[in-house]
């Protein structure tokens, strides 16, 4: 048996939960301008901007020939997103929009861009979730199917690439990092990559266990991202500021450690509450705003993959 003191419990200061969009977060090395009271436009490079405060982050590749987006924010912030896009070059035409996964904060304005003729690109499972609807267990409700114009028009399973307006774009599956439909979108020439909620530098990492995400998938996805990027890559998560490879490495180390600790305790029959009491999150370089929720989601996700964590789990 694992002793309750194997992970020493210490009193630690809780990390304040970042607001959706993380307004007020500093973006070191980038120029930020406030478009409205709750919306910022952050200039990442000459042709790339990050729109913050419209649900999840929206990455924009802009130019005289139009705009390309990664994620479309939440439906309630559609007007703010439209205003932010209008402040950037090429606002008369959004030709392409990717969805990093199927949560509403990342897909809310799909319909508006789809109606205007934009191609909507996502993983096949994201299309399936949006087209059919899905259950949200912690709210005990169903998210209905989106209108036809909001459903991705192009899907893939593993990897894809395309050339748009002279820009090389590579995209690939991040298997079960956060949901069952996570992807990265890598603008190779600009060395800018959007990674969705597979990376969470500003909020508690979320494991949507009912939506197909699990802790082991997150560890693997972060390892894949480390292979893809270099020290100069601009990395854009769903929430919080753009970061660098070192931030991916830090979260990968954390998730790997927690995977090893939680699977060990799961084999001993520990619940999420037991894991927290045993100090499974202690002695780590970051704290959690809601540690029990994180461990509950991790615990549920591990049971969904019981056959991969140990031979003696029945």
């Amino acid at each position: 048996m694992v002793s309750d003191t194997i992970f020493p419990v210490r009193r630690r200061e809780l990390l304040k939960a970042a607001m959706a969009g993380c307004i007020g977060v500093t973006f070191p090395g980038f120029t930020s301008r406030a478009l409205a009271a709750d919306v910022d436009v952050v200039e990442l490079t000459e042709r790339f901007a990050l729109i913050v405060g419209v649900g999840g982050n929206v990455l924009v590749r802009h130019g005289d020939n139009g705009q390309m987006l990664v994620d479309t924010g939440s439906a309630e912030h559609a007007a703010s997103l439209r205003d932010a896009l209008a402040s950037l070059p090429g606002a008369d035409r959004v030709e392409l929009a990717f969805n990093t996964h199927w949560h509403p904060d990342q897909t809310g304005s799909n319909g508006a861009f789809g109606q205007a003729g934009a191609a909507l690109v996502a993983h096949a499972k994201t299309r399936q979730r949006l087209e059919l609807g899905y259950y949200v267990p912690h709210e005990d409700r169903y998210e209905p199917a989106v209108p036809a114009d909001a459903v991705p028009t192009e899907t893939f399973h593993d990897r894809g690439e395309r050339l748009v307006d002279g820009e090389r774009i590579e995209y690939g599956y991040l298997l079960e990092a956060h949901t069952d439909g996570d992807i990265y979108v890598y603008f190779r020439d600009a060395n800018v990559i959007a990674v969705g909620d597979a990376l969470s530098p500003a909020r508690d990492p979320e494991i949507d266990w009912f939506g197909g995400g699990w802790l082991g998938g997150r560890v693997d996805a972060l390892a894949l991202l480390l292979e893809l990027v270099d020290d100069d890559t601009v990395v854009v998560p769903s929430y919080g500021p753009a970061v660098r490879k070192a931030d991916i490495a830090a979260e990968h180390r954390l998730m790997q450690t927690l995977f090893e600790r939680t699977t060990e305790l799961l084999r001993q029959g520990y619940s999420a509450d037991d894991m927290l009491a045993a100090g499974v999150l202690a002695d780590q370089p970051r704290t959690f705003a809601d540690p029990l929720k994180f461990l509950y989601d991790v615990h549920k996700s591990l049971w969904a993959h019981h056959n991969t964590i140990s031979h003696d789990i029945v």
Side-chain angles (χ1 to χ4, degrees):
M1 290 293 291
V2 176
S3 168
D4 285 351
T5 60
I6 189 169
F7 306 122
V9 179
R10 297 189 300 150
R11 219 178 256 282
R12 309 187 71 174
E13 180 183 1
L14 291 179
L15 177 68
K16 291 184 178 179
M19 296 173 61
C22 298
I23 298 303
V25 172
T26 300
F27 292 79
F30 304 116
T31 301
S32 177
R33 55 187 170 89
L35 189 70
D38 57 350
V39 178
D40 286 332
V41 177
V42 183
E43 299 289 348
L44 300 177
T45 72
E46 182 181 357
R47 289 194 176 274
F48 284 81
L50 183 60
I51 300 175
V52 183
V54 291
N57 287 336
V58 176
L59 177 65
V60 187
R61 195 271 188 186
H62 56 78
D64 296 337
N65 295 325
Q67 297 176 344
M68 290 181 278
L69 312 182
V70 181
D71 289 330
T72 65
S74 62
E76 58 266 36
H77 291 97
S80 295
L81 175 59
R82 184 175 62 248
D83 292 343
L85 292 175
S87 74
L88 297 168
D92 57 322
R93 183 165 64 96
V94 173
E95 55 185 310
L96 175 66
F98 289 89
N99 294 141
T100 58
H101 57 287
W102 40 267
H103 283 165
D105 265 8
Q106 284 69 44
T107 60
S109 290
N110 272 18
F113 299 121
Q115 290 171 19
L120 303 176
V121 182
H123 192 268
K125 290 196 174 181
T126 290
R127 177 187 172 108
Q128 182 182 50
R129 297 277 186 172
L130 294 177
E131 195 170 33
L132 301 177
Y134 52 90
Y135 182 61
V136 184
H138 62 280
E139 297 179 9
D140 192 23
R141 67 174 182 84
Y142 282 90
E143 184 74 22
V146 301
D149 287 333
V151 176
T153 56
E154 300 180 29
T155 62
F156 67 98
H157 290 275
D158 186 21
R159 289 183 176 85
E161 58 181 87
R162 62 206 300 151
L163 183 68
V164 181
D165 192 23
E167 186 77 45
R168 288 186 299 162
I169 310 172
E170 302 170 2
Y171 40 96
Y173 193 22
L174 296 172
L175 178 61
E176 299 173 336
H178 166 64
T179 69
D180 59 5
D182 302 293
I183 67 170
Y184 66 84
V185 182
Y186 195 0
F187 296 87
R188 173 67 69 174
D189 298 317
N191 205 11
V192 175
I193 188 170
V195 300
D197 242 333
L199 177 71
S200 188
R203 313 197 317 177
D204 288 358
E206 183 182 351
I207 308 294
D208 186 347
W209 59 271
F210 198 83
W214 79 297
L215 185 55
R218 195 175 191 90
V219 172
D220 291 344
L222 291 167
L224 173 60
L225 291 174
L226 286 173
E227 294 178 1
L228 286 172
V229 306
D230 59 42
D231 291 340
D232 295 323
T233 307
V234 177
V235 182
V236 178
S238 280
Y239 303 95
V243 295
R244 299 290 184 176
K245 182 176 182 176
D247 299 278
I248 300 177
E251 187 162 318
H252 178 257
R253 288 192 298 271
L254 173 64
M255 294 298 106
Q256 180 67 52
T257 297
L258 295 182
F259 178 81
E260 293 168 359
R261 289 185 173 188
T262 55
T263 52
E264 179 183 356
L265 295 183
L266 184 70
R267 287 194 292 268
Q268 303 301 323
Y270 279 56
S271 68
D273 296 86
D274 295 334
M275 290 179 181
L276 183 61
V280 73
L281 299 179
D283 303 317
Q284 294 305 302
R286 69 185 284 179
T287 53
F288 290 76
D290 192 343
L292 184 56
K293 178 185 183 303
F294 172 75
L295 286 176
Y296 175 83
D297 292 342
V298 165
H299 189 270
K300 297 289 282 188
S301 83
L302 292 178
W303 274 112
H305 293 265
H306 63 86
N307 61 314
T308 66
I309 61 174
S310 176
H311 66 278
D312 60 358
I313 292 291
V314 178

